[in-house]
Amino acid sequence: MSGRDIFISYSREDRPAARHFAKCFADEGFSVWWDATLQAGETFDEVIERELKAAKAVVVLWSPRSVQSRWVRAEATLADRSGKLVPAIIEKCDRPIIFELTHAADLADWNGDTSDSRWQAFAEDLRAVMQKHSAKAAPSPVAASAGRPPAGSARSSAGAINGFDRSRAAASRAGYGQDRGFVGRRGPSSAPAYDESNEIDTDDATQFYRSADFDAFKDEFHCLELTVGDKVAKRFIINPLGVKIGRTAPADIIIPDPRVSRLHCKVELAGDQLRVHDLNSTNGTYVDSKRVQDEALLDIGSVLQVGNVSLKHEVRSGAKA
């Protein structure tokens, strides 16, 4: 997916600042997308999501207004999970706690001079993130010629595995297995297609499973598995904080199905089972074809159905992952 260099996330009240940043980025030679470029008739949430995922870097402008914006928080979370968040503080504020440990350029008293050393350092940070993104997106010539997935692909013989939200882990040491979401569309067959573009690369996965943060899961962990044909296409680890399933951010597992509500249900650990809470979804949440009334237990081997997607509850070992 090709896209602009930079996506700007900001609060509506900070629009003049966003406009100035967009101009300065353009002067630096960057291509920029912000919602002022939306065309009449476009569905704004779909366009924003598409442009955010396609951008090489996401600049979040933190201010007392933006920290209160659910949209900005959601965009920052998605950018952080994909490793392309480059935040800037444009006014003194208390950032959301999961982003307090993420470095942010302090431009609160920046006067707009692009020769300022702080601006130049910020621009260099952006170039580094974009270069890293381009390097990861480029296919390996050797792998491509051999007809195999490129080096760094998230696909492995054990199936696709979850990402790890390092910022949340650093804040609470409990953010295991925050997933980058199931992103895709219905294919021509009855099974949903899936898109690997948001999955982490194998090297990052290896670092996660070898880290101390995985100790709690080295014996076994609960997960929801999406199966396409007879293969596991996606595996979502249920972390100690639980995960929310929905059609868009801030859901942890994103299923872009029109039958799925924006925040559809929550799944959390409950001993040897999972507990499913329906979040007042329009079309209902189902466990083994039975509609959930408020909440229900999901036994190992049972199937959770959300919209047109079915997810099976399994327990896997660290070695299996």
Side-chain angles (χ1 to χ4, degrees):
M1 181 186 296
S2 61
R4 312 291 177 91
D5 292 330
I6 299 171
F7 176 103
I8 302 178
S9 175
Y10 68 100
S11 171
R12 185 66 56 187
E13 293 90 338
D14 297 325
R15 191 178 186 86
R19 180 180 293 108
H20 183 68
F21 270 80
K23 180 182 182 301
C24 291
F25 288 143
D27 290 344
E28 292 284 345
F30 299 129
S31 59
V32 184
W33 191 94
W34 62 307
D35 60 13
T37 59
L38 280 168
Q39 302 296 315
E42 290 183 316
T43 306
F44 77 96
D45 57 340
E46 294 179 358
V47 175
I48 288 174
E49 184 176 2
R50 182 186 70 224
E51 294 292 339
L52 188 150
K53 290 177 179 177
K56 298 179 180 69
V58 177
V59 171
V60 174
L61 303 181
W62 288 125
S63 72
R65 278 79 55 192
S66 64
V67 297
Q68 300 296 324
S69 169
R70 292 183 62 190
W71 275 103
V72 175
R73 286 171 176 252
E75 289 165 359
T77 299
L78 288 175
D80 189 36
R81 289 179 183 173
S82 55
K84 54 187 179 182
L85 174 63
V86 189
I89 300 171
I90 62 171
E91 192 174 330
K92 297 297 183 184
C93 59
D94 292 325
R95 287 176 288 160
I97 190 169
I98 64 170
F99 299 111
E100 282 290 346
L101 297 178
T102 301
H103 170 72
D106 190 350
L107 300 176
D109 58 352
W110 177 57
N111 63 8
D113 180 7
T114 55
S115 65
D116 188 309
S117 60
R118 292 170 299 174
W119 171 263
Q120 291 299 320
F122 183 52
E124 285 304 311
D125 287 344
L126 278 166
R127 290 188 180 94
V129 169
M130 286 186 280
Q131 184 177 12
K132 181 179 179 181
H133 178 274
S134 298
K136 291 181 68 173
S140 166
V142 175
S145 64
R148 296 188 298 271
S153 170
R155 180 177 292 181
S156 68
S157 59
I161 52 182
N162 298 73
F164 180 53
D165 186 341
R166 290 173 176 81
S167 61
R168 180 171 294 186
S172 67
R173 311 303 295 174
Y176 307 111
Q178 288 295 311
D179 199 87
R180 293 170 187 256
F182 167 78
V183 181
R185 59 179 176 79
R186 297 287 294 177
S189 65
S190 59
Y194 72 101
D195 180 0
E196 296 177 345
S197 61
N198 281 347
E199 295 174 2
I200 61 174
D201 59 42
T202 307
D203 290 340
D204 284 346
T206 301
Q207 291 173 13
F208 167 52
Y209 285 111
R210 288 177 179 174
S211 69
D213 298 299
F214 188 62
D215 284 349
F217 288 128
K218 64 185 178 182
D219 294 326
E220 63 179 25
F221 56 88
H222 292 259
C223 59
L224 294 174
E225 294 183 346
L226 170 72
T227 302
V228 176
D230 59 350
K231 295 183 179 180
V232 175
K234 192 79 174 177
R235 178 177 293 124
F236 304 97
I237 296 174
I238 307 303
N239 67 59
L241 299 178
V243 297
K244 290 182 179 178
I245 301 175
R247 191 173 73 253
T248 62
D252 301 297
I253 300 175
I254 298 175
I255 302 176
D257 182 330
R259 290 182 54 80
V260 176
S261 299
R262 289 182 179 273
L263 280 180
H264 197 99
C265 64
K266 180 176 181 179
V267 181
E268 60 186 7
L269 297 172
D272 290 333
Q273 300 169 301
L274 296 180
R275 182 179 290 110
V276 180
H277 299 267
D278 182 80
L279 301 177
N280 296 317
S281 63
T282 301
N283 295 302
T285 303
Y286 294 80
V287 171
D288 292 336
S289 301
K290 183 177 180 181
R291 185 161 183 163
V292 174
Q293 302 297 332
D294 187 28
E295 66 176 52
L297 292 176
L298 183 68
D299 294 324
I300 297 171
S302 292
V303 175
L304 171 68
Q305 184 172 347
V306 180
N308 293 310
V309 174
S310 296
L311 302 165
K312 188 175 182 181
H313 176 197
E314 296 286 5
V315 174
R316 301 296 184 190
S317 66
K320 174 67 175 177

mmCIF file of all heavy atoms in Angstrom, residues 11 91 103 112 120 132 136 155 175 177 184 197 200 214 227 231 234 237 252 261 271-272 275 288 308:
data_model
loop_
_atom_site.group_PDB
_atom_site.id
_atom_site.type_symbol
_atom_site.label_atom_id
_atom_site.label_comp_id
_atom_site.label_asym_id
_atom_site.label_seq_id
_atom_site.Cartn_x
_atom_site.Cartn_y
_atom_site.Cartn_z
ATOM 1 N N SER A 11 -6.496 17.659 17.142
ATOM 2 C CA SER A 11 -7.839 18.033 17.580
ATOM 3 C C SER A 11 -8.364 19.143 16.683
ATOM 4 O O SER A 11 -7.596 20.000 16.223
ATOM 5 C CB SER A 11 -7.804 18.521 19.033
ATOM 6 O OG SER A 11 -9.047 19.078 19.413
ATOM 7 N N GLU A 91 1.529 22.115 22.979
ATOM 8 C CA GLU A 91 1.107 22.901 24.137
ATOM 9 C C GLU A 91 1.229 22.026 25.372
ATOM 10 O O GLU A 91 0.921 20.831 25.303
ATOM 11 C CB GLU A 91 -0.334 23.391 23.955
ATOM 12 C CG GLU A 91 -0.765 24.449 24.947
ATOM 13 C CD GLU A 91 -2.145 25.007 24.635
ATOM 14 O OE1 GLU A 91 -2.526 25.034 23.445
ATOM 15 O OE2 GLU A 91 -2.837 25.407 25.588
ATOM 16 N N HIS A 103 8.856 8.953 23.546
ATOM 17 C CA HIS A 103 9.488 10.253 23.328
ATOM 18 C C HIS A 103 8.625 11.125 22.424
ATOM 19 O O HIS A 103 8.118 10.675 21.401
ATOM 20 C CB HIS A 103 10.868 10.081 22.693
ATOM 21 C CG HIS A 103 11.471 11.381 22.236
ATOM 22 N ND1 HIS A 103 11.941 12.329 23.120
ATOM 23 C CD2 HIS A 103 11.640 11.901 20.985
ATOM 24 C CE1 HIS A 103 12.396 13.370 22.440
ATOM 25 N NE2 HIS A 103 12.226 13.127 21.141
ATOM 26 N N GLY A 112 7.683 28.455 14.963
ATOM 27 C CA GLY A 112 7.420 28.165 13.558
ATOM 28 C C GLY A 112 8.623 28.287 12.660
ATOM 29 O O GLY A 112 8.524 28.066 11.442
ATOM 30 N N GLN A 120 14.530 20.856 13.362
ATOM 31 C CA GLN A 120 15.403 20.042 12.541
ATOM 32 C C GLN A 120 15.570 18.640 13.129
ATOM 33 O O GLN A 120 15.593 17.649 12.395
ATOM 34 C CB GLN A 120 16.767 20.722 12.380
ATOM 35 C CG GLN A 120 16.723 21.989 11.531
ATOM 36 C CD GLN A 120 16.251 21.694 10.115
ATOM 37 O OE1 GLN A 120 16.622 20.693 9.512
ATOM 38 N NE2 GLN A 120 15.413 22.593 9.578
ATOM 39 N N LYS A 132 12.789 3.522 7.986
ATOM 40 C CA LYS A 132 12.557 2.194 8.564
ATOM 41 C C LYS A 132 11.309 1.568 7.975
ATOM 42 O O LYS A 132 11.279 0.375 7.642
ATOM 43 C CB LYS A 132 12.427 2.313 10.082
ATOM 44 C CG LYS A 132 12.203 0.989 10.787
ATOM 45 C CD LYS A 132 12.112 1.183 12.285
ATOM 46 C CE LYS A 132 11.854 -0.148 13.004
ATOM 47 N NZ LYS A 132 11.734 0.025 14.471
ATOM 48 N N LYS A 136 11.108 -1.935 5.715
ATOM 49 C CA LYS A 136 10.283 -3.088 6.084
ATOM 50 C C LYS A 136 9.297 -3.426 4.980
ATOM 51 O O LYS A 136 8.939 -4.586 4.786
ATOM 52 C CB LYS A 136 9.534 -2.811 7.383
ATOM 53 C CG LYS A 136 10.419 -2.739 8.601
ATOM 54 C CD LYS A 136 9.618 -2.483 9.871
ATOM 55 C CE LYS A 136 8.756 -3.677 10.216
ATOM 56 N NZ LYS A 136 8.093 -3.526 11.521
ATOM 57 N N ARG A 155 4.041 -14.161 8.428
ATOM 58 C CA ARG A 155 3.528 -15.523 8.285
ATOM 59 C C ARG A 155 4.602 -16.516 8.694
ATOM 60 O O ARG A 155 5.747 -16.421 8.327
ATOM 61 C CB ARG A 155 3.107 -15.759 6.840
ATOM 62 C CG ARG A 155 2.561 -17.161 6.616
ATOM 63 C CD ARG A 155 2.086 -17.333 5.200
ATOM 64 N NE ARG A 155 0.914 -16.531 4.942
ATOM 65 C CZ ARG A 155 0.297 -16.520 3.769
ATOM 66 N NH1 ARG A 155 0.722 -17.244 2.773
ATOM 67 N NH2 ARG A 155 -0.769 -15.758 3.594
ATOM 68 N N GLY A 175 0.645 -5.613 29.505
ATOM 69 C CA GLY A 175 0.053 -5.438 28.181
ATOM 70 C C GLY A 175 0.452 -6.521 27.215
ATOM 71 O O GLY A 175 0.982 -6.229 26.150
ATOM 72 N N GLY A 177 0.362 -9.243 24.324
ATOM 73 C CA GLY A 177 -0.413 -9.675 23.162
ATOM 74 C C GLY A 177 -1.402 -8.679 22.626
ATOM 75 O O GLY A 177 -2.427 -9.064 22.096
ATOM 76 N N GLY A 184 -9.322 -6.801 6.870
ATOM 77 C CA GLY A 184 -9.531 -7.459 5.585
ATOM 78 C C GLY A 184 -10.908 -7.187 5.025
ATOM 79 O O GLY A 184 -11.601 -6.293 5.461
ATOM 80 N N SER A 197 -0.831 -6.894 6.141
ATOM 81 C CA SER A 197 -0.032 -5.669 6.130
ATOM 82 C C SER A 197 0.146 -5.076 7.515
ATOM 83 O O SER A 197 1.076 -4.312 7.741
ATOM 84 C CB SER A 197 -0.690 -4.629 5.225
ATOM 85 O OG SER A 197 -1.982 -4.291 5.696
ATOM 86 N N ILE A 200 3.084 -7.899 12.629
ATOM 87 C CA ILE A 200 4.481 -7.614 12.916
ATOM 88 C C ILE A 200 5.379 -8.593 12.176
ATOM 89 O O ILE A 200 4.934 -9.640 11.716
ATOM 90 C CB ILE A 200 4.761 -7.717 14.428
ATOM 91 C CG1 ILE A 200 4.461 -9.134 14.933
ATOM 92 C CG2 ILE A 200 3.963 -6.716 15.188
ATOM 93 C CD1 ILE A 200 4.854 -9.344 16.378
ATOM 94 N N PHE A 214 7.031 -12.128 28.313
ATOM 95 C CA PHE A 214 6.281 -13.305 27.900
ATOM 96 C C PHE A 214 6.297 -14.412 28.960
ATOM 97 O O PHE A 214 5.668 -15.440 28.790
ATOM 98 C CB PHE A 214 6.859 -13.833 26.577
ATOM 99 C CG PHE A 214 6.032 -14.946 25.961
ATOM 100 C CD1 PHE A 214 4.734 -14.727 25.579
ATOM 101 C CD2 PHE A 214 6.571 -16.197 25.772
ATOM 102 C CE1 PHE A 214 3.976 -15.734 25.008
ATOM 103 C CE2 PHE A 214 5.828 -17.221 25.206
ATOM 104 C CZ PHE A 214 4.529 -16.972 24.823
ATOM 105 N N THR A 227 -9.695 -19.262 11.489
ATOM 106 C CA THR A 227 -9.252 -20.313 10.575
ATOM 107 C C THR A 227 -9.800 -20.069 9.182
ATOM 108 O O THR A 227 -10.988 -19.788 9.011
ATOM 109 C CB THR A 227 -9.713 -21.696 11.068
ATOM 110 O OG1 THR A 227 -9.193 -21.928 12.382
ATOM 111 C CG2 THR A 227 -9.215 -22.792 10.146
ATOM 112 N N LYS A 231 -6.247 -23.940 7.912
ATOM 113 C CA LYS A 231 -5.079 -23.298 8.503
ATOM 114 C C LYS A 231 -5.482 -22.118 9.373
ATOM 115 O O LYS A 231 -6.464 -21.438 9.090
ATOM 116 C CB LYS A 231 -4.123 -22.830 7.403
ATOM 117 C CG LYS A 231 -3.505 -23.962 6.596
ATOM 118 C CD LYS A 231 -2.513 -23.417 5.574
ATOM 119 C CE LYS A 231 -1.863 -24.563 4.786
ATOM 120 N NZ LYS A 231 -0.895 -24.050 3.772
ATOM 121 N N LYS A 234 -5.002 -16.307 11.698
ATOM 122 C CA LYS A 234 -4.729 -15.251 12.668
ATOM 123 C C LYS A 234 -4.961 -15.790 14.070
ATOM 124 O O LYS A 234 -5.886 -16.560 14.302
ATOM 125 C CB LYS A 234 -5.662 -14.070 12.401
ATOM 126 C CG LYS A 234 -5.298 -12.811 13.143
ATOM 127 C CD LYS A 234 -4.167 -12.079 12.476
ATOM 128 C CE LYS A 234 -3.923 -10.744 13.153
ATOM 129 N NZ LYS A 234 -2.789 -10.018 12.604
ATOM 130 N N ILE A 237 -4.037 -13.359 21.062
ATOM 131 C CA ILE A 237 -3.808 -13.726 22.462
ATOM 132 C C ILE A 237 -4.692 -12.875 23.360
ATOM 133 O O ILE A 237 -4.789 -11.669 23.179
ATOM 134 C CB ILE A 237 -2.329 -13.544 22.841
ATOM 135 C CG1 ILE A 237 -1.442 -14.499 22.030
ATOM 136 C CG2 ILE A 237 -2.112 -13.771 24.335
ATOM 137 C CD1 ILE A 237 0.041 -14.285 22.233
ATOM 138 N N ASP A 252 -9.334 -3.499 20.172
ATOM 139 C CA ASP A 252 -8.037 -4.170 20.078
ATOM 140 C C ASP A 252 -7.991 -5.114 18.877
ATOM 141 O O ASP A 252 -6.968 -5.256 18.222
ATOM 142 C CB ASP A 252 -7.757 -4.953 21.361
ATOM 143 C CG ASP A 252 -7.763 -4.057 22.590
ATOM 144 O OD1 ASP A 252 -6.908 -3.161 22.655
ATOM 145 O OD2 ASP A 252 -8.631 -4.245 23.456
ATOM 146 N N SER A 261 -20.444 -4.041 15.291
ATOM 147 C CA SER A 261 -20.559 -2.692 15.837
ATOM 148 C C SER A 261 -19.178 -2.108 16.070
ATOM 149 O O SER A 261 -18.180 -2.832 16.128
ATOM 150 C CB SER A 261 -21.351 -2.717 17.149
ATOM 151 O OG SER A 261 -22.666 -3.198 16.944
ATOM 152 N N GLY A 271 -10.485 -17.832 34.667
ATOM 153 C CA GLY A 271 -9.996 -19.168 35.015
ATOM 154 C C GLY A 271 -9.576 -19.912 33.768
ATOM 155 O O GLY A 271 -8.773 -19.430 32.969
ATOM 156 N N ASP A 272 -10.131 -21.112 33.566
ATOM 157 C CA ASP A 272 -9.825 -21.913 32.384
ATOM 158 C C ASP A 272 -10.775 -21.606 31.233
ATOM 159 O O ASP A 272 -10.789 -22.317 30.225
ATOM 160 C CB ASP A 272 -9.908 -23.409 32.724
ATOM 161 C CG ASP A 272 -8.770 -23.849 33.642
ATOM 162 O OD1 ASP A 272 -7.704 -23.202 33.590
ATOM 163 O OD2 ASP A 272 -8.953 -24.808 34.402
ATOM 164 N N ARG A 275 -14.528 -15.121 29.379
ATOM 165 C CA ARG A 275 -15.837 -14.501 29.607
ATOM 166 C C ARG A 275 -16.062 -13.479 28.501
ATOM 167 O O ARG A 275 -15.217 -12.625 28.246
ATOM 168 C CB ARG A 275 -15.912 -13.826 30.980
ATOM 169 C CG ARG A 275 -17.287 -13.197 31.265
ATOM 170 C CD ARG A 275 -17.340 -12.556 32.633
ATOM 171 N NE ARG A 275 -17.317 -13.566 33.683
ATOM 172 C CZ ARG A 275 -16.298 -13.778 34.500
ATOM 173 N NH1 ARG A 275 -15.186 -13.055 34.385
ATOM 174 N NH2 ARG A 275 -16.350 -14.705 35.431
ATOM 175 N N ASP A 288 -21.142 -20.479 20.279
ATOM 176 C CA ASP A 288 -21.685 -21.757 19.787
ATOM 177 C C ASP A 288 -23.121 -21.595 19.280
ATOM 178 O O ASP A 288 -24.032 -22.351 19.651
ATOM 179 C CB ASP A 288 -21.612 -22.819 20.885
ATOM 180 C CG ASP A 288 -20.182 -23.210 21.212
ATOM 181 O OD1 ASP A 288 -19.308 -23.044 20.339
ATOM 182 O OD2 ASP A 288 -19.925 -23.659 22.348
ATOM 183 N N ASN A 308 -19.758 -11.840 10.593
ATOM 184 C CA ASN A 308 -19.552 -13.008 9.746
ATOM 185 C C ASN A 308 -18.263 -13.758 10.061
ATOM 186 O O ASN A 308 -17.866 -14.655 9.321
ATOM 187 C CB ASN A 308 -19.519 -12.582 8.266
ATOM 188 C CG ASN A 308 -20.859 -12.061 7.795
ATOM 189 O OD1 ASN A 308 -21.887 -12.697 8.002
ATOM 190 N ND2 ASN A 308 -20.860 -10.896 7.163
#
